[in-house]
Each structure stands twice: as structure tokens, then as C-alpha cells.
Amino acid sequence: YLRGLPSPSTLEERLEAMPTENLPLKGKTTIYWDEHQIPFVEAEHDTDAAFALGMVHAHLRLGAMEMGRRVSQGRLSEIVGSATVDVDHFIKLLDLDRAVPDIIKMMKPETRAWTESFLAGINHYAANLEELPQEFRVLGIEPEPWTLEDYVRLGRLGGADSNWSLWFLLAKARQRKDWPTIWK
């Protein structure tokens, strides 16, 4: 799997790799980069801004996003091997998926539309790549389409991050007979 680092590219080459044609947008949308290469999105419609922002995120971080998603699913061992089985098991114990359907049901329609547009931007970018980012080639994986469930699950993992010490204590308590009462 291990191949050398990719050849260096110029800023212009990186920016040219961003899809700009046949985008499913409702109105005028502009992405520009300042002198520090910080992206800015301007759009006539909120959902177009979300779509463009999803593309920008994918353009800059698709490999890291894919790793985060797989960690949140308890699928790291598929890539890394047996060294991360305990990590996957622990993530499964967190049961991040348990609340996902209810969180999605509670989303306001405009929030859900914005989030789905953001995810559509990520998926559009990934589907139109000429070459996968280096992380995908090194790890021997393919990108998978992002879903609303993926987005919410990853958010739950991020929210749990500041409470890891509590989660480890709860994981130990799961063996107790009174676990259902503790969990409630």
C-alpha cells in the first residue's frame, strides 16, 4: 500500500481540480480563496451555499472525512487491520446510531435541506474526481456516498469526544446487572 508522497502541486493546480461545470445549483454561486487560501462562499440560495461548502470541504479534506466516518461506524479495522479491533469494539459500545433516526426526525425542514445540500456537494465532488486523494490510494479504499445518517453519527462522535473519560467508565459499567438503570 505504501507509496511515496504525491508530487507537489501548485495552488493553481489545486484550485483547477475543483469542479466548476454542470453543478446542480439554483443561482449564482461563487467560491473564492483569499491570499491565505481560506475559502469563502457567496450564493443567492442557502442550499447552493451548502452545496458549495460541501464541495470545498471534500476538496480540502476528503481523506480525513472518510477516516472520521469509518471511525464513527466502528470500521477502522477494515482499513488498518486487527490493531484497531478494540477501537472499533469501543465505538460500537457507544452505540452512536441509537439516536440518529430521532435526531434526523427532529431536524427542521430548512436544516435538513441545508444539510442534504452540503452532503450533495461532498458526493458531487467525490463522484467527479479525476484522481482520488493520496489517503485513498495509500489505504486502498474507495470513497462511499455520504448520507444524512453518516453526518449525524460523525457529529455524535465529535460531541462525545470531550467526554471520553466518562465513556470509558460507562463501558466498564456495561457489564453490571444494573446497567439498564445506569444507562437511563
Side-chain angles (χ1 to χ4, degrees):
Y1 285 132
L2 294 179
R3 301 173 188 142
L5 292 174
S7 301
S9 60
T10 66
L11 176 60
E12 291 76 23
E13 290 169 333
R14 269 223 29 134
L15 295 178
E16 284 176 18
M18 184 79 145
T20 57
E21 296 188 20
N22 301 317
L23 304 177
L25 301 170
K26 298 178 201 167
K28 182 178 179 187
T29 303
T30 304
I31 302 169
Y32 64 93
W33 306 75
D34 73 5
E35 67 274 6
H36 305 290
Q37 294 144 33
I38 296 171
F40 292 84
V41 176
E42 293 178 354
E44 293 177 1
H45 303 278
D46 284 348
T47 53
D48 287 350
F51 182 90
L53 186 61
M55 285 186 43
V56 167
H57 275 262
H59 182 69
L60 295 174
R61 300 280 179 261
L62 190 60
M65 291 166 58
E66 186 63 33
M67 289 300 292
R69 174 179 37 189
R70 289 176 189 233
V71 167
S72 76
Q73 294 171 335
R75 295 176 54 204
L76 194 55
S77 297
E78 291 176 14
I79 301 167
V80 180
S82 62
T84 57
V85 167
D86 288 343
V87 173
D88 286 345
H89 182 247
F90 179 71
I91 294 297
K92 295 286 189 182
L93 287 175
L94 291 178
D95 197 12
L96 298 171
D97 287 325
R98 182 176 52 87
V100 169
D102 289 335
I103 292 169
I104 291 171
K105 282 180 195 170
M106 290 187 298
M107 283 182 161
K108 293 180 180 179
E110 58 272 14
T111 301
R112 184 173 178 147
W114 194 96
T115 306
E116 287 175 341
S117 293
F118 174 77
L119 296 170
I122 294 169
N123 290 332
H124 182 87
Y125 181 85
N128 290 285
L129 281 173
E130 289 184 23
E131 183 179 25
L132 287 172
Q134 180 74 359
E135 299 93 333
F136 288 87
R137 294 190 305 273
V138 168
L139 296 170
I141 59 175
E142 293 289 325
E144 298 173 0
W146 279 78
T147 66
L148 196 51
E149 290 78 10
D150 293 331
Y151 177 85
V152 172
R153 182 186 316 103
L154 186 56
R156 291 201 71 217
L157 178 62
D161 191 26
S162 64
N163 299 305
W164 281 110
S165 59
L166 175 63
W167 289 111
F168 283 116
L169 291 172
L170 287 174
K172 289 178 186 176
R174 205 175 158 107
Q175 305 304 316
R176 295 173 44 164
K177 290 180 182 178
D178 59 346
W179 169 248
T181 304
I182 294 170
W183 186 243
K184 285 181 185 175

